[in-house]
Amino acid sequence: MDDVLNLAQVKAELSYLNRLDEIRETNVASLKRLKEARDALLGRGNEVAGIQPHEGSRAADG
């Protein structure tokens, strides 16, 4: 009976760890999108595309 309980506990822990990994992957993807949006707002995305930032923007100041 102890083996059955141990196996159930291991399965539950593995399921929990898999769920945490899914959440981590979602968070990493969200962070990447947020960084890209931030960079675009700061004009960094435009620099890569060959577009100069507007005068008075934060990107032009830095």
Side-chain angles (χ1 to χ4, degrees):
M1 190 67 168
D2 287 339
D3 289 341
V4 172
L5 291 176
N6 287 338
L7 181 59
Q9 183 177 1
V10 168
K11 285 183 177 182
E13 289 175 5
L14 286 174
S15 177
Y16 174 72
L17 291 174
N18 285 334
R19 180 66 183 131
L20 287 179
D21 192 48
E22 291 171 2
I23 292 169
R24 183 192 59 78
E25 289 176 8
T26 300
N27 288 341
V28 168
S30 294
L31 181 59
K32 182 178 178 182
R33 284 191 304 274
L34 286 170
K35 285 181 177 181
E36 290 171 352
R38 177 205 60 200
D39 289 348
L41 287 171
L42 293 176
R44 293 181 186 157
N46 293 337
E47 293 170 6
V48 172
I51 301 170
Q52 296 298 320
H54 295 287
E55 233 179 276
S57 71
R58 296 178 76 187
D61 298 336

